[in-house]
């Protein structure tokens, strides 16, 4: 499969900058792999496609306020610092991205906050854009973390082309987010409201939660035509026994196992045993799924509409079938569906 197979023109106005007024009232395209039928629904219509014994596998990762703005010593140039992950609690070391990267060198100090009480020193260049920062802040770790996060803002994606607003604190987060560690929201999960989940539970559908701390790797540009030569960044995943038990029981009993989002699909496919059942997992995965690929567990998927040439689109096309998925995308553009994190949903059956 070649990169160029996933190229299409996405009108800029179809990239959602804001969420729908209500989580479960985004549009939803329903794609049936067996019949090729494509339907146009509202997300809350999900309830008509699932029933007793069906299982939804969700990602309970929690997005933290990862985007900060600091001033560089002497020049006072404003530098965007994007926190990726904490490397060492005791030493206050963080893996970060900086922008503009060309202005930051090892030894530079950055000052944060109106009083510039939070100071960070660049101690390593890890990539062309990445850096390791040591925060110089003398306080217990929980106080340091609280102060650091108070300086940050919700890391909505750059393609939204706007600053974060108060509404984003709630809406760029699923209602079931509990495990802090993501800088990218699991967008398919953003559509679920408490009311919809309650109605599905009344029908005896079940929700289980694994953890994938989503990073920026899915947004990195692919620079090879042969997809087998592309490497994606690793993401941390945790799959516990209750998830394994529920998923395997549903699979063995012929019920639907619906993964909510590409992050969940990657996690599940990274933790499959030789008998094609899910197993417990606590570690990292850099699994890159693209056609042709045989999926082991899930038989349904909720996802959003993704950017052209993205690894997310490649995974969806692998699950939905390349021809059918690309047809669905062309219809989505014609029907003016909204794309990306705050956009509309696709249900693949």
């Amino acid at each position: 499969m070649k990169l160029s197979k996933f190229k299409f023109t996405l009108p800029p106005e179809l990239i959602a900058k804001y969420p729908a007024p209500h989580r479960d009232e985004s549009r939803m395209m329903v794609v049936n792999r067996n019949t090729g039928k494509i339907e146009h629904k509202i997300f809350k219509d999900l309830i008509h496609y699932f029933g007793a014994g069906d299982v939804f596998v969700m990602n309970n990762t929690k997005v933290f306020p990862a985007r900060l703005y600091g001033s560089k010593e002497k020049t006072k140039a404003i530098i965007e610092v994007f926190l990726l992950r904490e490397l060492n609690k005791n030493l206050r070391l963080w893996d970060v991205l900086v922008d503009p990267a060309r202005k930051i060198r090892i030894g530079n100090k950055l000052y944060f906050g109106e009083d510039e009480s939070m100071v960070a020193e660049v101690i390593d260049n890890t990539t062309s854009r990445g850096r390791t920062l040591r925060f110089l802040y003398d306080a217990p770790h929980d106080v340091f973390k609280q102060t650091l996060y108070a300086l940050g803002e919700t890391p909505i994606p750059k393609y939204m082309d706007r600053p974060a607003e108060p509404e984003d604190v709630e809406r760029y987060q699923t209602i079931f987010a509990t495990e802090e560690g993501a800088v990218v929201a699991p967008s398919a999960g953003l559509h679920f409201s408490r009311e919809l989940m309650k109605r599905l539970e009344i029908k005896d559908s079940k929700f289980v939660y694994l953890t994938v701390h989503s990073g920026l790797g899915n947004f990195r540009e692919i620079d090879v035509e042969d997809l087998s030569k592309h490497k994606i960044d690793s993401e941390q995943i945790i799959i516990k026994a209750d998830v394994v038990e529920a998923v395997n029981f549903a699979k063995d009993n012929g019920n639907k196992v619906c993964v909510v989002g590409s992050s969940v699909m990657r996690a599940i496919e990274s933790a499959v045993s030789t008998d094609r059942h899910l197993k417990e997992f606590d570690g990292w995965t850099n699994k890159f799924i693209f056609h042709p690929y045989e999926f082991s567990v899930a038989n349904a998927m909720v996802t959003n509409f993704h950017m052209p040439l993205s690894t997310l689109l490649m995974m969806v096309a692998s699950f939905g079938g390349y021809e059918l998925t690309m047809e669905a995308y062309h219809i989505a553009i014609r029907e003016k569906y909204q794309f990306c994190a705050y956009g509309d949903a696709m249900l693949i059956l």
Side-chain angles (χ1 to χ4, degrees):
M1 186 58 73
K2 304 297 184 183
L3 175 66
S4 53
K5 300 276 280 184
F6 297 93
K7 186 176 183 178
F8 62 89
T9 301
L10 177 61
E13 64 271 18
L14 297 187
I15 297 175
K17 290 190 174 185
Y18 294 92
H22 302 285
R23 287 182 184 270
D24 57 12
E25 292 184 357
S26 294
R27 297 168 73 189
M28 179 176 70
M29 181 185 287
V30 182
V31 178
N32 190 305
R33 294 178 294 171
N34 291 328
T35 65
K37 184 179 179 182
I38 293 175
E39 301 176 281
H40 304 286
K41 302 288 184 178
I42 301 298
F43 193 77
K44 64 172 82 173
D45 293 330
L46 193 75
I47 193 167
H48 302 304
Y49 296 90
F50 296 89
D54 295 335
V55 173
F56 290 89
V57 189
M58 324 283 269
N59 184 2
N60 63 7
T61 190
K62 187 174 184 178
V63 178
F64 63 91
R67 184 174 283 125
L68 291 77
Y69 295 92
S71 63
K72 187 181 174 186
E73 61 178 336
K74 296 179 183 176
T75 67
K76 299 299 180 184
I78 300 301
I79 304 296
E80 178 186 303
V81 173
F82 196 101
L83 303 173
L84 295 177
R85 60 193 176 101
E86 192 170 30
L87 300 174
N88 187 302
K89 288 184 177 182
N90 296 326
L91 297 178
R92 310 278 200 263
L93 296 183
W94 279 77
D95 183 18
V96 307
L97 295 178
V98 293
D99 188 22
R102 68 184 183 280
K103 292 187 176 181
I104 300 301
R105 303 279 188 271
I106 292 175
N108 287 161
K109 284 190 170 65
L110 299 172
Y111 296 85
F112 301 90
E114 290 184 9
D115 60 357
E116 298 188 337
S117 59
M118 180 74 76
V119 184
E121 182 180 19
V122 182
I123 65 169
D124 187 24
N125 288 349
T126 49
T127 69
S128 59
R129 293 182 61 213
R131 304 288 187 272
T132 300
L133 292 189
R134 178 171 59 217
F135 285 91
L136 310 174
Y137 194 80
D138 188 17
H141 184 265
D142 57 341
V143 176
F144 158 71
K145 200 89 168 279
Q146 187 176 3
T147 305
L148 183 65
Y149 284 4
L151 294 168
E153 63 179 40
T154 303
I156 60 170
K158 289 279 192 182
Y159 58 67
M160 291 185 187
D161 195 28
R162 65 173 177 85
E165 298 177 12
E167 178 189 32
D168 296 310
V169 175
E170 177 194 357
R171 292 304 301 272
Y172 195 64
Q173 194 86 269
T174 64
I175 62 170
F176 43 82
T178 56
E179 307 302 312
E180 182 187 282
V183 297
V184 176
S187 57
L190 299 178
H191 299 286
F192 284 83
S193 66
R194 287 179 176 81
E195 294 77 12
L196 177 59
M197 293 177 74
K198 190 66 181 174
R199 291 173 67 199
L200 284 161
E201 285 173 342
I202 289 171
K203 290 187 71 174
D204 284 334
S205 294
K206 184 179 177 65
F207 294 92
V208 294
Y209 304 90
L210 51 74
T211 304
V212 184
H213 290 317
S214 303
L216 296 176
N218 291 323
F219 298 101
R220 296 204 195 286
E221 196 171 308
I222 301 176
D223 56 8
V224 290
E225 174 68 0
D226 181 356
L227 296 183
S228 66
K229 291 180 168 56
H230 179 65
K231 300 291 186 293
I232 67 171
D233 294 355
S234 294
E235 292 181 330
Q236 185 180 9
I237 61 176
I238 302 169
I239 303 175
K240 296 183 178 178
D242 62 315
V243 179
V244 171
E245 183 180 347
V247 166
N248 289 338
F249 185 82
K251 173 182 166 71
D252 291 340
N253 283 273
N255 292 107
K256 290 190 182 78
V257 176
C258 182
V259 300
V260 178
S262 56
S263 60
V264 175
M265 184 69 85
R266 182 183 298 111
I268 282 182
E269 289 298 320
S270 299
V272 174
S273 60
T274 52
D275 64 353
R276 300 170 64 80
H277 282 68
L278 188 62
K279 60 184 180 182
E280 291 181 58
F281 192 95
D282 186 346
W284 295 75
T285 182
N286 63 349
K287 192 175 189 67
F288 178 24
I289 297 174
F290 59 93
H291 183 80
Y293 183 86
E294 187 175 351
F295 291 83
S296 300
V297 178
N299 49 25
M301 180 182 192
V302 174
T303 185
N304 279 29
F305 290 93
H306 305 294
M307 290 281 200
L309 304 176
S310 67
T311 60
L312 305 176
L313 170 58
M314 292 162 193
M315 178 190 291
V316 171
S318 182
F319 185 74
Y322 174 78
E323 300 290 347
L324 183 57
T325 299
M326 298 312 289
E327 178 191 353
Y329 266 64
H330 289 305
I331 292 172
I333 291 171
R334 188 183 72 212
E335 298 295 325
K336 298 193 182 326
Y337 275 74
Q338 293 285 289
F339 278 62
C340 301
Y342 277 156
D344 295 316
M346 176 188 283
L347 170 63
I348 305 174
L349 297 170

